[in-house]
Amino acid sequence: AKCIPGTSRGKGMQASPRNRIRTMNLRKRSSENLALPSGASPEDTPERRSRDAKCIKYSWFLLPLLLGGLLVLALHPTWVVNPFSATSIIIGAAIIGMIWGLLQFLVIARIPIRSTSVDEGSSLVSGANDEATTQRLIEIYEAIYEGAESFLKAEYTVCAYFIVVFSAVIFVLVSWGTGWDFARGLFTAVSFVLGAGTSIVSGYLGMKVAVFSNVRTTVSAQKPGWTACFNVAFRAGAVMGFSLCGLGILMLYLTALAFRVHYPVAEDWIYLTESLTGYGLGGSSIAMFGRVGGGIYTKAADVGADLVGKVVHGIPEDDPRNPATIADNVGDNVGDVAGMGSDLFGSFAEATCAALVIGSSIGLTGGWDAMVFPIIVSAVGIAVCLVCSFLATHIFPVKTEAGVENALKLQLISTTVLMIPAVYGAAVGFLPPSFELNAAVGIDKTLTLSPWEAAVCVIMGAVGGLVIGLLTEYFTSHSYKPVREVANSCKTGAATNIIYGIALGYKSVIIPVIVLALVIYGSFTLCDMYGVALAAIGFLSNLATGLTIDVYGPVCDNAGGIAEMAELDPAVREKTDALDAAGNTTAAIGKGFAIGSAALVSLALFGAFVTRIRHSSDDTLFSNGVNMLEPLTFAFLIIGGMIPFAFAAMTMKSVGEAAMAMVVEVQRQFDEKPHLLDANPTERPDYDACIAISTKASLREMVPPGIMVMGTPLLTGIFFGVTAVSGLLVGSLIASVQLAISMSNSGGAWDNAKKYIEKASPDSELKGKGSDIHKAAVVGDTVGDPFKDTSGPALNIVMKLMAVLALVFADTFYAVNAGRGVFNLS
């Protein structure tokens, strides 16, 4: 992994009494590059333009996809006959989403990397230029850019080998399980490759945009007011949100249309939807590596930097004298952006595939448009999120610090409210007045449903997601009592802080689980298991907005780190910290959405698994549901409940080991270079060594958890049969959702308790920064880092990935002794 160009070659330091940033040994610019024309900046050099052009170049990869979508619309007969068909609506919305994301990126790209004084009133595209500060900003930006890119390339190289090998496994096992139906085996493998590829592209694009935007957020924070800096960070999130949603919908639907050529008859669409399940498996597999690998990377650097820098030596966060600070900022992009983007893409793909498999029989009476109704909901969601985005940037622009959090929460609330009439209109427009659906339980049992019932299921999911999100905010924001109690517990040390934080996490599980239970009961009562799948789609209906807000947080966090490392005016760091604080709160809301949706997606995938086994066995298995009192099923129910704890233990220990190595390395550098801690140091830290530790640890440690999660259902189905798999999936779901909520909320509470203490004055009860109370809070925050950013979020993928893998290989499991496995257990 690379850091700052030229810093690893042993160049000598040149002292500068003005800034500690010289410890970074930033690459010297030639006098020709610094002697720029009036009004120009160092970014106008050929090298600077080349790097930005490289970022812009990646955004244009969307163009072939846009043209392909338009070509499908032009050639598809329904477009000529009915421009409001499902095909035109879905592809049209996907294209609009990608175009909107591209436009947001081009707006950001117009902002030059040019430092100005905080009280200057000139515009962002012209004005005075502090050349030395601008040079530092560019160097820091390049360091983060190259570090993030080198790690993702290494990670995705590993993923590429995995995709090649596992796609071959899918082709062989699915073909064998379906009686050597090579078409289904090939289609499932192809959809797996497409899903994995789309997930990689989404994560890589998100990282590129985040790194490209964070320094521009820092520059914009130098201007008066809050509108400019907020809009840059918000638009950066919008690029990721709308591009990912548009790309995911477009790839999934084009794949379905391609498979429809081979399965033109409605009676065969069950095979089409089963082949599409590989798309969800591909997305979720890459999300597993992205979440775990990125989480280990970022938290190893974060914990190491905090423990040695802030606790032991009392230097500020993101201080350039800390050798782990660049790795910490790189981690924000590879973990919180790329990993999170792949995670939510996987949720979308799996929820859609589950709904299509369960609802494939709808095509017999309602036709193609009715069967693809779940994709139509996601397409409508893009339009709703696009309209609501104007609330933050144009209609109610952010003008005060308090307005930042309000603007972000307004996005979530407004999109949820507007989705209610939009979903009802889509249901009435694309579903027939009545349509039939095969029940998940019962032989020859057919349900007759109406559009309003399907719409209510989606709406229940959307509203339930918002409720869980707001409850998450209550337990993780320092504006409310629970986090303030955690902050007060720091008065008696780190131990009581950790006790209070864990208790808060456990307590925060209660109401979200009740909400999930109500949504599941209501949606199942209305539309059977298909209703549960629609509720999961409802949770993700405003995914573009959720992704926008999730990416916004890491961009602001990086912007603050850049401001600290470049030693800009303290007012800039205060402004970026305020932006980041609001992002932390809304990110917690986003985690609540993600966990709730993952629970419903996992349950929907389980329903699809049961549906597929019934179809393969001609209703000899699971026709009356899954009997949890069967010994084999109950035994694996217990084993399934153990998997999330084993996974959390593996990922937590991985972070701990990497953090220990990081702490040792940082302390070694401080010991060997004592002048590094001087106010005006004459030595520089070795950033590359810390980046190498995080990179090696994450690439090494992300493999074992992935093997466990993917291997367990595969081996269980082959050796013990489908009843054992049923118990395994249910146990994993029940334990994962509880553990994910508690770990994420405990970590969020510790983080915001620390921030609450940091805002306190030295003469207050909490004593503020640098006090023993603050050090106790930092210890809690470091414990919470892997809780909320590594293990907790990755548990979402555990329950989804196990379920979708079982769904893809359902026919294979049944082919082994009629579903009883190699051991032929009954």
Side-chain angles (χ1 to χ4, degrees):
K2 297 179 182 178
C3 185
I4 300 170
T7 59
S8 59
R9 288 171 166 63
K11 295 181 180 179
M13 290 301 305
Q14 293 195 7
S16 169
R18 183 168 178 260
N19 293 293
R20 292 195 307 268
I21 193 64
R22 64 178 171 206
T23 61
M24 300 176 65
N25 192 27
L26 300 176
R27 180 176 51 194
K28 299 176 185 177
R29 298 276 176 167
S30 66
S31 59
E32 290 80 8
N33 282 345
L34 290 179
L36 297 172
S38 176
S41 73
E43 68 164 333
D44 294 324
T45 63
E47 184 183 15
R48 172 77 264 126
R49 290 195 299 270
S50 173
R51 178 165 298 282
D52 283 355
K54 188 177 180 182
C55 282
I56 296 173
K57 178 186 70 175
Y58 283 102
S59 69
W60 290 107
F61 88 96
L62 297 174
L63 188 59
L65 295 173
L66 297 176
L67 295 177
L70 291 172
L71 182 63
V72 171
L73 287 180
L75 297 179
H76 202 278
T78 57
W79 169 250
V80 179
V81 177
N82 179 17
F84 296 101
S85 66
T87 297
S88 57
I89 293 296
I90 292 171
I91 296 181
I95 291 174
I96 289 172
M98 289 190 288
I99 290 176
W100 184 249
L102 182 60
L103 291 175
Q104 298 302 297
F105 178 80
L106 294 177
V107 170
I108 297 171
R110 291 183 63 248
I111 301 173
I113 305 176
R114 176 180 299 141
S115 175
T116 57
S117 61
V118 294
D119 57 350
E120 189 173 348
S122 58
S123 68
L124 286 174
V125 294
S126 64
N129 172 39
D130 182 345
E131 292 180 359
T133 305
T134 299
Q135 180 185 337
R136 292 195 299 273
L137 288 171
I138 291 173
E139 295 288 356
I140 297 166
Y141 155 59
E142 289 181 348
I144 297 173
Y145 181 101
E146 293 179 7
E149 184 175 71
S150 61
F151 170 74
L152 282 187
K153 284 183 177 179
E155 181 183 55
Y156 288 154
T157 298
V158 175
C159 292
Y161 288 121
F162 164 78
I163 293 170
V164 171
V165 173
F166 204 70
S167 60
V169 172
I170 291 173
F171 173 71
V172 173
L173 291 183
V174 172
S175 298
W176 175 75
T178 55
W180 295 112
D181 186 343
F182 291 107
R184 290 170 66 182
L186 177 63
F187 288 168
T188 305
V190 168
S191 61
F192 168 78
V193 172
L194 291 174
T198 305
S199 183
I200 287 176
V201 169
S202 300
Y204 193 67
L205 175 66
M207 182 278 294
K208 288 280 185 181
V209 172
V211 176
F212 189 78
S213 304
N214 55 30
V215 68
R216 288 164 171 82
T217 303
T218 304
V219 170
S220 300
Q222 292 182 285
K223 311 307 296 181
W226 294 82
T227 305
C229 52
F230 172 84
N231 283 355
V232 174
F234 184 81
R235 287 190 169 108
V239 176
M240 175 72 161
F242 287 94
S243 298
L244 185 148
C245 290
L247 181 62
I249 290 174
L250 182 63
M251 292 300 296
L252 176 61
Y253 193 69
L254 291 182
T255 304
L257 289 179
F259 291 173
R260 189 182 176 186
V261 175
H262 186 76
Y263 298 115
V265 183
E267 287 76 7
D268 293 336
W269 287 348
I270 178 65
Y271 305 119
L272 184 154
T273 58
E274 289 176 354
S275 298
L276 279 177
T277 56
Y279 189 80
L281 176 59
S284 195
S285 300
I286 300 303
M288 168 62 71
F289 292 119
R291 265 299 193 189
V292 175
I296 293 172
Y297 186 108
T298 182
K299 292 302 112 180
D302 197 2
V303 171
D306 284 353
L307 287 179
V308 182
K310 289 196 289 188
V311 175
V312 177
H313 296 286
I315 60 178
E317 187 174 4
D318 296 314
D319 192 294
R321 295 172 293 178
N322 192 325
T325 188
I326 290 291
D328 186 10
N329 282 276
V330 170
D332 290 336
N333 296 285
V334 300
D336 295 341
V337 176
M340 174 270 304
S342 296
D343 180 7
L344 291 178
F345 166 76
S347 292
F348 154 76
E350 290 159 332
T352 306
C353 291
L356 291 175
V357 170
I358 297 172
S360 59
S361 60
I362 294 175
L364 297 173
T365 56
W368 177 262
D369 285 10
M371 191 188 75
V372 298
F373 173 69
I375 308 179
I376 294 173
V377 172
S378 299
V380 170
I382 290 180
V384 168
C385 293
L386 194 155
V387 171
C388 291
S389 68
F390 285 98
L391 293 174
T393 56
H394 292 81
I395 299 176
F396 302 113
V398 174
K399 296 181 179 179
T400 63
E401 179 178 347
V404 177
E405 185 172 336
N406 293 335
L408 295 174
K409 289 170 66 174
L410 179 61
Q411 286 293 298
L412 293 172
I413 296 172
S414 62
T415 51
T416 301
V417 171
L418 195 56
M419 277 302 296
I420 295 175
V423 166
Y424 181 79
V428 172
F430 291 96
L431 292 175
S434 64
F435 55 95
E436 294 183 348
L437 174 73
N438 293 335
V441 178
I443 300 177
D444 296 328
K445 182 179 179 182
T446 303
L447 304 175
T448 301
L449 307 176
S450 60
W452 74 265
E453 291 172 312
V456 169
C457 291
V458 177
I459 292 169
M460 288 177 66
V463 175
L466 180 63
V467 171
I468 291 177
L470 295 178
L471 285 169
T472 304
E473 180 201 10
Y474 173 75
F475 281 103
T476 57
S477 172
H478 58 58
S479 300
Y480 303 102
K481 182 180 178 181
V483 171
R484 295 190 177 190
E485 288 181 343
V486 174
N488 286 324
S489 70
C490 295
K491 295 176 182 178
T492 52
T496 48
N497 177 29
I498 292 173
I499 292 170
Y500 266 73
I502 293 176
L504 179 148
Y506 291 159
K507 186 177 180 180
S508 68
V509 171
I510 300 171
I511 302 179
V513 166
I514 293 174
V515 172
L516 281 173
L518 292 174
V519 171
I520 291 169
Y521 180 80
S523 57
F524 191 94
T525 301
L526 287 174
C527 296
D528 201 74
M529 191 58 75
Y530 183 63
V532 177
L534 289 180
I537 296 289
F539 261 82
L540 299 166
S541 57
N542 57 353
L543 179 59
T545 293
L547 276 167
T548 297
I549 294 174
D550 280 338
V551 174
Y552 161 92
V555 169
C556 294
D557 191 7
N558 255 209
I562 292 172
E564 180 75 28
M565 286 185 283
E567 290 206 326
L568 301 181
D569 190 289
V572 177
R573 181 62 195 250
E574 291 174 6
K575 188 179 292 186
T576 57
D577 282 350
L579 294 173
D580 184 32
N584 284 340
T585 300
T586 51
I589 297 176
K591 284 186 175 72
F593 267 98
I595 295 169
S597 67
L600 289 182
V601 168
S602 180
L603 182 57
L605 289 168
F606 175 67
F609 171 75
V610 171
T611 300
R612 191 164 179 179
I613 292 297
R614 288 188 59 183
H615 181 265
S616 299
S617 65
D618 292 326
D619 277 341
T620 58
L621 288 176
F622 298 154
S623 58
N624 292 315
V626 178
N627 185 2
M628 287 296 163
L629 293 180
E630 289 186 6
L632 193 61
T633 307
F634 191 81
F636 275 88
L637 179 87
I638 303 298
I639 295 174
M642 170 271 299
I643 295 296
F645 291 91
F647 177 86
M650 295 172 73
T651 51
M652 292 281 288
K653 185 178 179 181
S654 296
V655 172
E657 290 178 347
M660 285 175 62
M662 188 71 69
V663 167
V664 171
E665 173 59 27
V666 173
Q667 188 59 52
R668 180 193 67 81
Q669 294 193 36
F670 284 149
D671 291 340
E672 294 181 359
K673 302 175 181 179
H675 295 294
L676 197 57
L677 292 170
D678 294 345
N680 292 302
T682 55
E683 296 177 292
R684 73 169 187 88
D686 183 1
Y687 300 102
D688 292 340
C690 293
I691 287 181
I693 289 173
S694 280
T695 301
K696 292 176 182 178
S698 58
L699 294 178
R700 180 182 66 249
E701 299 294 337
M702 73 179 184
V703 176
I707 292 176
M708 183 190 71
V709 171
M710 299 187 71
T712 301
L714 192 59
L715 295 177
T716 300
I718 292 174
F719 288 99
F720 296 95
V722 295
T723 56
V725 173
S726 299
L728 185 77
L729 297 183
V730 173
S732 172
L733 165 61
I734 293 173
S736 292
V737 66
Q738 325 272 349
L739 194 58
I741 293 174
S742 64
M743 293 185 78
S744 296
N745 289 349
S746 288
W750 279 318
D751 186 10
N752 283 322
K754 179 199 69 174
K755 286 182 169 60
Y756 183 65
I757 292 172
E758 290 175 343
K759 292 176 64 176
S761 61
D763 54 352
S764 65
E765 289 186 4
L766 296 178
K767 305 300 182 183
K769 275 187 178 183
S771 63
D772 289 339
I773 296 176
H774 179 240
K775 289 182 179 180
V778 171
V779 172
D781 180 38
T782 54
V783 173
D785 277 337
F787 270 54
K788 67 181 176 65
D789 291 323
T790 305
S791 300
L795 286 170
N796 299 342
I797 306 172
V798 170
M799 49 181 151
K800 295 182 299 182
L801 182 54
M802 292 180 67
V804 73
L805 191 140
L807 174 59
V808 168
F809 291 105
D811 289 327
T812 305
F813 297 160
Y814 180 74
V816 182
N817 288 329
R820 293 188 297 274
V822 172
F823 297 145
N824 203 19
L825 300 176
S826 60

